[in-house]
Amino acid sequence: MTTTERKPLLLDFEKPLAELASRIEQIRQLAEENGVDVSSEIRKLEARSMELREEIFTSLSPSQRLQVARHPRRPSTLDYIQAISDEWMELHGDRCGSDDPALVGGVGRLSGMPVVMLGHQKGRDTKDNIARNFGMATPGGYRKAMRLMEHANRFGMPILCFIDTPGALPTVIAERQGAGEAIAYNLREMFCLDVPIICTVIGEGGSGGALGIGVGDRLMMFEHSVYTVITPEACAAILWKDASKAPQAAAVLKMTSHDLKGLGIIDQILPEPIGGAHSDPLKAVNTLKQALLDNLEELYRLTPAERRQLRYEKFRKIGVFTEVSHS
């Protein structure tokens, strides 16, 4: 790995933290060169750095949360799968001649329990992102996902879905191959599956691309993830004919985990380390694994029929509103 690759990728609002960290390092080096003990001063500065980090990350705007959700070093589906599973085997192909690298899945064991895990997979760099369509799945990807879910249902294995996509692949070829039909088929069939289904938004959950693997008994989101019907950039381009107004759109889309928990769309917010999941991936992994185990324990207390009914009722409640008459 080169020095450039090791250099942290800073978001705009993280620059004060980087400047303070740089100042602390300079003081430490000068003190060592001159044999001066400044350990107490450095401790104070490090404490201030932690306070500043907490202040920044507890008051992020929706557009800033979106930047964290899209951070190139944020843990991906494969990162989480490989970290939480005792063993893991990726399965390929939709049995119709396609194997979409933007949607991965396979069988594994979670604390000894056989499970099927699948999700969107973005790349780490430009080359990898192009190979994986930036996590935007083709119709073949959703058909592969459904094949794996049917396998899980046949053998009584719970399904764990990890959502991280700006949307389904928006190309003419994808439309010709039946993108809408593939997603709609998944929506219908996921309501009928007998096994427990847990869906987690680990980064960016966008539009029908997210919904294609997003019907579950539990819907969880990491604290700085987003889940929305349309990207803020596309929303701004449609409403104001100006994509630069994306921060405005992000504020009104109600796409953050706290907004969606308040609206009753998601069931649980998974706390992230201060600085985001990419700042301490191991802590994020442990949080996710424990949440999955806790929810599976609850879901296994229900019969398949009870799970299906509650799943149906959960999604029927989304979008319910009250009309107030002005008499």
Side-chain angles (χ1 to χ4, degrees), residues 15-322:
K15 287 178 181 175
L17 294 170
E19 290 168 3
L20 184 53
S22 177
R23 199 176 309 147
I24 292 170
E25 188 57 34
Q26 287 174 2
I27 293 171
R28 185 180 280 113
Q29 288 178 0
L30 285 170
E32 288 176 359
E33 290 170 5
N34 295 280
V36 180
D37 183 13
V38 291
S39 55
S40 61
E41 287 78 6
I42 287 176
R43 280 197 297 271
K44 289 177 184 176
L45 286 171
E46 287 175 338
R48 175 55 191 150
S49 178
M50 287 299 296
E51 288 173 7
L52 181 60
R53 181 176 292 274
E54 189 166 354
E55 288 170 14
I56 289 172
F57 278 88
T58 53
S59 58
L60 294 177
S61 69
S63 62
Q64 289 171 331
R65 288 184 189 274
L66 179 60
Q67 290 180 59
V68 178
R70 289 174 172 172
H71 198 288
R73 292 193 180 159
R74 191 171 176 84
S76 68
T77 291
L78 286 176
D79 292 329
Y80 281 121
I81 287 176
Q82 290 164 359
I84 67 175
S85 23
D86 308 326
E87 55 182 314
W88 154 254
M89 178 184 293
E90 185 175 354
L91 300 177
H92 296 272
D94 66 347
R95 298 300 183 264
C96 296
S98 171
D99 182 32
D100 185 4
L103 210 159
V104 299
V107 294
R109 290 185 183 275
L110 178 69
S111 292
M113 182 192 311
V115 294
V116 163
M117 294 179 276
L118 55 98
H120 305 98
Q121 180 65 32
K122 293 180 178 178
R124 285 293 181 207
D125 52 33
T126 304
K127 184 179 178 181
D128 195 19
N129 262 320
I130 291 171
R132 293 190 181 274
N133 291 324
F134 294 83
M136 296 184 288
T138 63
Y142 290 104
R143 291 180 181 121
K144 174 169 70 172
M146 195 66 244
R147 179 178 77 82
L148 295 177
M149 288 188 271
E150 288 170 346
H151 177 86
N153 197 56
R154 189 178 302 117
F155 292 99
M157 294 185 283
I159 300 165
L160 310 179
C161 300
F162 304 106
I163 298 167
D164 188 16
T165 180
L169 189 66
T171 63
V172 173
I173 293 175
E175 291 300 324
R176 284 176 181 165
Q177 292 173 348
E181 184 275 339
I183 291 171
Y185 182 84
N186 282 20
L187 293 174
R188 186 187 71 185
E189 294 302 306
M190 289 182 80
F191 279 108
C192 302
L193 298 177
D194 292 328
V195 295
I197 308 172
I198 301 177
C199 306
T200 308
V201 184
I202 61 173
E204 186 178 9
S207 191
L211 283 176
I213 58 168
V215 175
D217 304 297
R218 295 286 190 276
L219 177 55
M220 307 190 296
M221 279 181 74
F222 269 104
E223 182 182 359
H224 298 310
S225 295
V226 297
Y227 197 31
T228 177
V229 70
I230 189 173
T231 63
E233 293 85 357
C235 179
I238 292 169
L239 292 182
W240 298 294
K241 312 299 182 189
D242 184 359
S244 68
K245 292 187 177 179
Q248 266 181 267
V252 298
L253 279 170
K254 302 297 181 186
M255 62 184 191
T256 69
S257 58
H258 296 283
D259 287 331
L260 295 167
K261 184 71 168 66
L263 291 169
I265 292 174
I266 67 166
D267 301 297
Q268 186 177 350
I269 298 173
L270 305 182
E272 295 190 27
I274 298 298
H278 60 279
S279 68
D280 190 348
L282 185 58
K283 190 172 182 180
V285 163
N286 291 334
T287 298
L288 175 62
K289 184 174 183 178
Q290 191 58 53
L292 291 171
L293 291 171
D294 291 344
N295 279 281
L296 284 173
E297 184 180 354
E298 291 178 14
L299 291 170
Y300 267 120
R301 293 175 191 157
L302 305 172
T303 66
E306 287 172 334
R307 283 196 296 266
R308 288 196 306 270
Q309 182 61 31
L310 290 173
R311 194 183 303 156
Y312 172 80
E313 291 173 1
K314 169 184 169 57
F315 280 84
R316 288 291 293 174
K317 290 176 185 175
I318 293 176
V320 170
F321 61 92
T322 303

